[in-house]
Amino acid sequence: MQPRNNLDQASVIPDALKDFTIVEEPFYRASGEEVALFEAAYRMRIPVMLKGPTGCGKTRFVEHMAWRLGQPLVTVSCHEDMTAADLVGRFLLDADGTKWHDGPLTMAARLGAICYLDEIVEARQDTTVVIHSLTDDRRILPLEKKNEVVRAHPNFRIVVSYNPGYQSVLKDLKESTKQRFSAIGFDYPDDLAEAEIVAKEAGVDSAIASALVRVAQRSRNLRGHGLDEGASTRMLIHAAMLTRQGIPIAQACRMAIVLPITDDPDVREALTAAVSVCF
Ligand code: ADP
């Protein structure tokens, strides 16, 4: 399938963004109306927040959408030590003196790309406010250190992911940041869809994929009983891949799911018991 870009004027991707262009279609199994909702927000240049638990397909979705829309995707994994300069850019010393280097946000805004801030709540609030002027109708980014105001390219969009489970008083978005976004809700796919994803991504047969989905469902029932989150689709894919290397399925589940997900011996035991009844 060729990427479709019927939403914007056909645009030439600048050389600096060539590496950020997704050439092959990323497999994405839709669960609802998310593709149409994203396209509507894209057309209207409304910033989008993808909300859902870790490993449920948010990043894969944005990669798929960037490919579908024929737009480069600049991804930033947010973390608490990230500064505004990491997003915006900074002067760096080289042989000829100091030279300005655009950060990923500035590059996406200047040249026209989708900028994806993954796990935005991980960044400090004083860092995330730099996106404010880009996420309202001004669509500008003032570079104070450089004495320049970047006007966002027509194809610039901002997308963030946000895991409501990680939210706490200390880690949350400012109300003024949240209110700039539209949101699309994500969750783990239903069992048939999740088995299809695991089978396709890991290259295993549907019987193994379905058994792993049952493991995931049981682990998700332990949410709030010792586990913050159950096994993600990503973990199931890892377990499935290990079985392809000849690791017995129970051991693969221990390695890819039980041990990484908890340090609590009682929860581990409960999870191991839950795994053993799935095969
Ligand atoms: P998130 O960004 O929500 O943490 P990812 O998008 O990285 O999660 O998903 C983890 C992995 O699970 C992906 O790399 C992909 O293999 C698989 N996956 C999850 N949901 C889907 C889906 N709906 N379609 C295709 N693959 C999916």
Side-chain angles (χ1 to χ4, degrees):
M1 191 171 152
Q2 285 297 306
R4 301 181 311 131
N5 182 1
N6 53 2
L7 301 177
D8 254 323
Q9 294 296 311
S11 53
V12 178
I13 310 274
D15 280 349
L17 287 176
K18 287 258 157 65
D19 287 349
F20 297 89
T21 304
I22 298 168
V23 180
E24 277 184 29
E25 178 179 1
F27 164 65
Y28 177 73
R29 165 74 156 81
S31 288
E33 297 301 308
E34 64 270 36
V35 171
L37 295 175
F38 189 95
E39 284 185 351
Y42 181 88
R43 273 192 213 105
M44 291 289 116
R45 300 204 173 98
I46 301 171
V48 178
M49 177 186 293
L50 310 179
K51 288 185 94 161
T54 186
C56 75
K58 302 183 294 298
T59 301
R60 177 59 66 88
F61 172 71
V62 78
E63 288 169 348
H64 178 82
M65 292 311 298
W67 171 84
R68 239 179 129 87
L69 297 162
Q71 295 300 315
L73 177 69
V74 176
T75 298
V76 181
S77 296
C78 299
H79 56 86
E80 62 182 12
D81 293 331
M82 192 168 83
T83 62
D86 291 331
L87 285 174
V88 166
R90 48 170 61 88
F91 282 104
L92 292 173
L93 199 59
D94 66 14
D96 307 318
T98 54
K99 200 168 153 206
W100 176 263
H101 290 258
D102 279 348
L105 180 68
T106 310
M107 177 174 71
R110 200 190 284 284
L111 302 176
I114 298 174
C115 184
Y116 175 50
L117 304 179
D118 193 11
E119 294 294 358
I120 190 167
V121 279
E122 293 298 327
R124 289 192 317 270
Q125 293 183 346
D126 57 337
T127 302
T128 39
V129 293
V130 302
I131 66 176
H132 280 193
S133 56
L134 279 170
T135 47
D136 55 36
D137 55 353
R138 290 173 289 169
R139 287 179 57 90
I140 56 167
L141 179 62
L143 306 178
E144 278 148 29
K145 296 224 167 73
K146 197 171 175 248
N147 221 355
E148 180 190 350
V149 174
V150 175
R151 282 179 203 286
H153 186 284
N155 290 353
F156 169 72
R157 299 291 186 280
I158 194 150
V159 179
V160 301
S161 75
Y162 175 95
N163 181 346
Y166 290 168
Q167 187 186 342
S168 69
V169 183
L170 288 177
K171 266 191 190 171
D172 196 7
L173 289 179
K174 271 176 185 281
E175 208 51 43
S176 57
T177 308
K178 276 185 192 170
Q179 296 212 7
R180 295 175 137 75
F181 285 86
S182 61
I184 303 178
F186 284 75
D187 206 342
Y188 303 117
D190 66 41
D191 42 359
L192 281 180
E194 192 163 31
E196 186 189 315
I197 293 166
V198 173
K200 179 146 172 77
E201 290 284 298
V204 295
D205 64 38
S206 59
I208 291 182
S210 303
L212 287 167
V213 171
R214 287 195 293 277
V215 171
Q217 285 168 340
R218 283 170 181 267
S219 75
R220 290 167 197 163
N221 290 338
L222 290 172
R223 248 187 288 189
H225 302 279
L227 281 188
D228 291 335
E229 285 193 2
S232 63
T233 311
R234 181 190 289 119
M235 286 183 142
L236 304 187
I237 293 167
H238 288 168
M241 285 172 159
L242 290 170
T243 67
R244 285 192 54 194
Q245 291 296 310
I247 310 282
I249 193 158
Q251 221 174 331
C253 285
R254 186 167 172 76
M255 186 174 168
I257 300 171
V258 178
L259 293 183
I261 213 172
T262 178
D263 297 323
D264 181 321
D266 294 336
V267 181
R268 263 186 200 169
E269 208 176 303
L271 208 49
T272 306
V275 167
S276 63
V277 298
C278 293
F279 309 114

